Amino acid sequence: MSDTFDVIVIGAGPAGYVAAIRAAQLGLKTAVVDAFVGKDGKQALGGTCLNIGCIPSKALLDSSKQFHNLTHNFALHGITADNPKIDIPTFTGRKDKIVKQFTGGVALLFKANKITSFFGKGKLLKGNQVEVTGNDGTKQTIAATNVILASGSVPIELPFAKFDGKHIVDNAGALDFSEVPKRLGVIGAGVIGLELGSVWKRLGSEVTIIEALPEFLAAADTDIAKTAAREFAKQGLDIKLNAKLSKAEIKGDEVHLTYNSEKDGEQSLVVDKLLVAVGRRAYTDGLLADDTGVKVDERGRIVVDEHCHTGVDGVWAIGDAVRGPMLAHKGSEEGVAVAELIAGKPGHVNLDMVPWVIYTEPEISWVGKTEKQLKDEGVPYKTGSFPFAANGRAVAMNEGVGMVKVIAHAETDRILGVHMVGPVVSELIHEAVVAMEFKGSSEDLARIVHAHPALSEVVHEAALAVDKRAIHKSN
Ligand code: FAD
Ligand code: NAD
């Protein structure tokens, strides 16, 4: 045994690295074990989110939005450019620089907080020991009073459309196409399919998305999903609902798809690249020795209680590897809570108040319950909504599309859910999160002064509309 710590974290994604930093801040001797190999062959901290998820996808979404605006929207402002082009190596290279800046930033934070970093695969052994296997196969065993499992998730692979890394790719592959695919097929109209489908559509790909469910964005509020679907259709994203892929064959440089559509029967489609984005699964391969006592559920997730404790003394689990939404901020907050619990402080994450954001154009965001959920639960509610088309700032930005909907309890007026589709709603949603965390009512939001002209006036007006007193629309 080489080293003993207060805390060892396995996995340095947004759940694990945040847990480690908070533990170190609280004076705990902390180590992190992470196996992620960056593009340069060296250790790259930050997990899926920083390397192949949140950060690189947002970099490409932003670049592709700039290009789309230049080719489609600037003329409205009287700005024109002859023959605009996009250079793909520069486009993906910019993203790589941002990734390196942030993964390197985590390494610096580890150093500043005196966190010991191990590069290799960690395996939990009985008695809170961790075996670390380096890339060269060397093994060492370290131990701690507490071990936090934060091994994250990986893409689900379909047996009839296996990833080959070139033609049939996962999210990592779709961040790094060397040229704009003429025809891009996407399996799954979920968050990744819509975000990465939008990136390549804006650069000129013909994008077809095949979605198994009959309903578009089933987790979102129905009105929001309908508005988004209409806008995506206008942009030319071809989304086929109620369609099930049965075969994907690579023939030369093409992928030949066969799928069954409820509406049109068996269909075929030929694409140049296929992105499979049908969800992610908790990743625990090689993480647990047989006798640790840590349990995994039927979906492969590490079983934890409401405090992220596994039931085995001193063993905790957080992030995508456990129940709850697979979102970076949810994992980070669990990391903070667990570090604080280990240090003897109170720590808790309210999973009912985790905001969702989809970074398409328009953006989509929500927090709390949908109307459908409240109906199913038999909770009486009232709603108010307001369109961005009636907001001066949104129209001045040429982004007067979408709406905000506030749902409040019919009797107490407490806000139960807020749903948005429109410009910059990734930021606007946090006004709702704060109001809801403080157990606010729609009247509280309605009585708060909002600057004019501002996009957040739409949130204000939607709150006023709950009481049928929105000013800039007929109620
Ligand atoms: P991960 O980030 O997956 O990190 C786990 C780490 O543990 C990895 O580095 C892995 O190599 C390492 N590891 C695993 N097992 C071991 C082991 N045995 N030993 C050592 N190391 C190990 N979420 C958002 O909130 N906002 C977004 O905008 C967003 N965009 C996304 C875009 C894409 C394309 C994808 C794929 C995901 C996106 N997500 C987003 C989801 C987000 O990336 C995840 O929710 C988040 O990364 C989960 O954090 P985590 O720390 O639990 O796991
Ligand atoms: P997802 O769960 O969001 O969407 C997967 C979609 O694929 C669903 O609509 C599902 O019905 C469909 N599907 C499943 N099997 C299918 C099949 N055989 N054929 C056709 N469609 C099928 O999953 P994702 O897009 O892979 O993303 C994984 C997770 O990563 C997300 O749920 C989210 O937690 C996280 N993520 C978050 C962000 C963000 O916060 N902006 C961005 C990307 C990813």
Side-chain angles (χ1 to χ4, degrees):
M1 178 112 41
S2 51
D3 268 315
T4 305
F5 296 89
D6 294 320
V7 178
I8 297 172
V9 184
I10 304 182
Y17 87 72
V18 171
I21 291 172
R22 187 68 191 122
Q25 283 175 349
L26 291 161
L28 300 165
K29 187 182 172 197
T30 304
V32 175
V33 183
D34 192 276
F36 201 98
V37 184
K39 279 189 166 178
D40 56 5
K42 296 185 183 146
Q43 184 176 34
L45 301 170
T48 303
C49 178
L50 269 59
N51 286 287
I52 49 170
C54 327
I55 299 301
S57 61
K58 267 78 249 179
L60 295 190
L61 277 157
D62 196 72
S63 296
S64 61
K65 182 176 170 177
Q66 308 277 6
F67 184 71
H68 180 84
N69 279 339
L70 177 59
T71 49
H72 289 76
N73 296 332
F74 278 7
L76 264 173
H77 300 268
I79 305 166
T80 51
D82 288 336
N83 197 17
K85 285 196 203 75
I86 182 142
D87 178 64
I88 296 301
T90 310
F91 168 73
T92 51
R94 171 184 170 276
K95 174 255 307 167
D96 291 340
K97 277 192 205 135
I98 294 168
V99 167
K100 214 166 166 43
Q101 179 186 337
F102 279 84
T103 57
V106 176
L108 290 177
L109 287 170
F110 277 7
K111 222 172 162 183
N113 284 285
K114 301 194 175 37
I115 293 166
T116 309
S117 181
F118 292 89
F119 184 17
K121 183 113 184 148
K123 180 180 201 170
L124 178 72
L125 309 177
K126 201 174 172 183
N128 298 359
Q129 299 188 41
V130 174
E131 178 188 80
V132 183
T133 307
N135 281 357
D136 57 0
T138 53
K139 287 186 194 293
Q140 60 178 311
T141 304
I142 53 179
T145 318
N146 288 278
V147 178
I148 304 175
L149 306 170
S151 52
S153 64
V154 288
I156 292 172
E157 188 167 43
L158 293 174
F160 41 86
K162 288 205 173 279
F163 301 124
D164 76 336
K166 192 170 175 225
H167 304 92
I168 304 181
V169 299
D170 61 10
N171 54 287
L175 292 167
D176 266 321
F177 292 142
S178 56
E179 56 187 66
V180 180
K182 192 172 169 322
R183 298 159 299 182
L184 172 64
V186 179
I187 310 300
V191 196
I192 295 179
L194 292 172
E195 289 187 355
L196 293 181
S198 295
V199 164
W200 296 103
K201 173 73 204 156
R202 292 169 190 172
L203 302 189
S205 293
E206 285 164 27
V207 178
T208 310
I209 305 184
I210 293 171
E211 165 60 47
L213 290 181
E215 199 184 335
F216 178 63
L217 273 183
D221 182 86
T222 311
D223 289 336
I224 302 296
K226 269 190 197 147
T227 307
R230 203 168 48 236
E231 291 306 314
F232 297 152
K234 275 193 218 158
Q235 292 163 17
L237 278 179
D238 185 4
I239 302 173
K240 300 195 183 298
L241 297 176
N242 224 343
K244 290 185 184 66
L245 184 74
S246 53
K247 203 158 56 171
E249 283 179 301
I250 300 170
K251 293 187 180 168
D253 249 355
E254 294 177 332
V255 189
H256 291 239
L257 309 180
T258 309
Y259 65 94
N260 210 289
S261 151
E262 191 68 24
K263 189 165 131 244
D264 305 314
E266 187 167 286
Q267 298 287 310
S268 50
L269 177 73
V270 180
V271 295
D272 303 297
K273 300 280 182 194
L274 181 68
L275 162 62
V276 179
V278 293
R280 296 175 67 82
R281 65 170 175 87
Y283 178 68
T284 55
D285 301 5
L287 178 71
L288 304 167
D290 293 339
D291 56 357
T292 61
V294 174
K295 293 191 182 68
V296 293
D297 67 14
E298 68 295 345
R299 289 171 60 185
R301 301 174 301 188
I302 300 168
V303 176
V304 289
D305 64 16
E306 71 274 27
H307 297 301
C308 294
H309 195 260
T310 63
V312 175
D313 209 19
V315 182
W316 312 75
I318 56 177
D320 279 11
V322 304
R323 85 285 176 263
M326 288 185 163
L327 296 173
H329 39 289
K330 174 263 189 186
S332 297
E333 291 306 323
E334 286 179 336
V336 170
V338 166
E340 296 190 343
L341 287 167
I342 289 172
K345 293 176 176 297
H348 178 66
V349 180
N350 184 357
L351 290 182
D352 291 335
M353 224 54 85
V354 177
W356 274 86
V357 175
I358 307 179
Y359 295 81
T360 43
E361 203 55 40
E363 294 181 346
I364 300 163
S365 63
W366 70 89
V367 60
K369 306 267 182 176
T370 61
E371 283 197 59
K372 183 174 179 314
Q373 282 170 325
L374 292 169
K375 261 185 209 140
D376 290 349
E377 291 170 18
V379 177
Y381 66 88
K382 50 191 176 172
T383 68
S385 59
F386 194 82
F388 281 96
N391 174 266
R393 184 85 194 279
V395 173
M397 291 162 65
N398 193 37
E399 296 196 46
V401 164
M403 63 186 282
V404 171
K405 182 198 272 189
V406 174
I407 309 177
H409 194 282
E411 288 136 25
T412 66
D413 192 37
R414 183 165 164 184
I415 304 168
L416 302 174
V418 178
H419 302 268
M420 307 185 175
V421 54
V424 206
V425 298
S426 53
E427 302 294 338
L428 296 184
I429 194 66
H430 296 96
E431 179 173 1
V433 181
V434 172
M436 289 172 70
E437 276 288 9
F438 282 88
K439 303 186 172 33
S441 62
S442 78
E443 186 175 357
D444 288 331
L445 264 190
R447 290 195 181 278
I448 289 170
V449 180
H450 287 68
H452 173 77
L455 297 174
S456 59
E457 287 176 289
V458 177
V459 182
H460 188 214
E461 291 268 23
L464 284 163
V466 174
D467 195 31
K468 303 207 180 336
R469 57 191 178 104
I471 301 296
H472 295 94
K473 74 163 199 177
S474 52
N475 290 287

